[in-house]
Amino acid sequence: MRLRKASALAASVLALSLAATACGGGGDDDTISIGIKYDQPGLGLKTPDGDYVGFDVDVATFIAGELGYEPDQIDFVESPSGDRETMLDRGDVDFIVASYSITDERKEQVDFAGPYFVAHQDLLIRDGESVPNVEAINDLTLCSVGGSTSAANVQEEFAPDAQLEQLGTYSECLTGLENGTVDALTTDDSILAGYAAQEQNQGKFALAGLELSDEYYGVGVPKGETELRDDINAAIAKMVEEGAWQDAVEEHFGPANYDAEPAPEITETD
Ligand code: GLU
């Protein structure tokens, strides 16, 4: 489906792969490319077997289905927080479903469909420790991901004096939290709950329980792709209406005891 910004090279690669498929006698070779996270249990996780599981994966798969793509026609591509706008702009992916908060700053570079989910920023700390209030965060060494709203909120909103280490993924921060190089990992509670519930992390971490922001997750689309955005909005509305949205929430957040907010109203329209 990605023909929008096809460079000469990309076009020739496409021509080659079409030719290869034609030679192999394949049928419909059209695929859709969707950016997700690979290391966020509950939302987007690539398993050791090469499967993709999580709420964002289910939302992405439902949308793809509404756009006419079977699950085996989806190419999932890892889209780390700091790369999302660039990936959409370059045409690396058709759209992104990756705990991607809708913000005015991001809307200067990309468009969003949705929102389809609401989360809140929180801190993940070592079990047995506590952070009594927002002011106390200023005394901590935090880890978050570069290019995320989580890192920006710390610096611009609620803890400008905190030490903030910015890494490429939240799972890298988790290692720092475990071995004591940072006091807390900060991002959306939906993501943190997934880490805390992982089997290998049982009893190790806990959420501080501070609702530090409202994060409205949107589906990122390349700037100006309004038709695609509208089709995705219709798909999200259908997923909610048919109950598949609620089923996915229960399946993916239930095991982490994460109490998800109800489906938000879709606002990203003209
Ligand atoms: N929802 C926040 C954001 O879009 C944090 C999670 C993430 O980095 O994906 O930046």
Side-chain angles (χ1 to χ4, degrees):
M1 186 180 166
R2 281 165 297 138
L3 293 171
R4 200 177 68 96
K5 283 198 176 173
S7 63
L9 177 64
S12 61
V13 168
L14 182 68
L16 279 175
S17 67
L18 288 174
T21 311
C23 291
D28 184 2
D29 59 299
D30 203 7
T31 59
I32 192 160
S33 183
I34 307 176
I36 57 164
K37 294 295 182 73
Y38 275 12
D39 68 332
Q40 294 180 188
L43 283 154
L45 188 72
K46 184 173 181 180
T47 70
D49 298 339
D51 293 329
Y52 302 97
V53 285
F55 179 74
D56 279 345
V57 173
D58 283 3
V59 172
T61 305
F62 191 98
I63 293 168
E66 289 302 298
L67 297 176
Y69 296 86
E70 296 295 325
D72 65 0
Q73 291 177 295
I74 301 173
D75 283 333
F76 284 116
V77 178
E78 185 173 25
S79 53
S81 300
D83 297 347
R84 291 175 293 203
E85 290 81 28
T86 309
M87 290 179 78
L88 287 170
D89 191 46
R90 278 199 309 234
D92 294 351
V93 288
D94 292 304
F95 59 87
I96 289 181
V97 191
S99 59
Y100 197 8
S101 298
I102 301 169
T103 69
D104 287 342
E105 204 181 328
R106 288 173 177 165
K107 283 206 278 191
E108 287 171 17
Q109 282 177 275
V110 302
D111 283 333
F112 287 98
Y116 65 92
F117 193 78
V118 192
H120 306 283
Q121 186 167 351
D122 197 358
L123 306 183
L124 191 70
I125 52 182
R126 286 176 289 271
D127 194 46
E129 301 185 358
S130 67
V131 181
N133 50 44
V134 180
E135 291 71 51
I137 302 174
N138 276 303
D139 300 328
L140 302 179
T141 300
L142 305 174
C143 186
S144 196
V145 166
S148 68
T149 55
S150 317
N153 290 343
V154 168
Q155 293 175 315
E156 294 159 22
E157 304 288 334
F158 57 79
D161 294 334
Q163 297 284 332
L164 177 65
E165 188 179 352
Q166 298 190 54
L167 300 180
T169 59
Y170 299 108
S171 45
E172 292 171 62
C173 286
L174 198 66
T175 309
L177 181 61
E178 181 158 24
N179 62 31
T181 55
V182 298
D183 301 313
L185 153 57
T186 185
T187 186
D188 305 338
D189 49 9
S190 48
I191 300 170
L192 300 176
Y195 287 131
Q198 273 189 307
E199 200 163 319
Q200 68 266 31
N201 295 334
Q202 291 292 322
K204 287 188 189 167
F205 309 114
L207 275 73
L210 305 166
E211 284 199 0
L212 299 166
S213 71
D214 293 332
E215 304 293 325
Y216 287 88
Y217 290 0
V219 176
V221 300
K223 187 97 193 130
E225 299 264 352
T226 45
E227 208 173 304
L228 177 62
R229 180 205 63 196
D230 292 347
D231 289 347
I232 293 174
N233 278 335
I236 295 168
K238 186 169 174 188
M239 187 179 183
V240 173
E241 204 178 284
E242 287 184 348
W245 186 93
Q246 189 59 34
D247 291 347
V249 162
E250 281 160 25
E251 179 181 346
H252 299 294
F253 295 118
N257 273 326
Y258 177 73
D259 204 3
E261 299 271 7
E265 191 193 328
I266 292 173
T267 53
E268 297 305 302
T269 56
D270 284 332

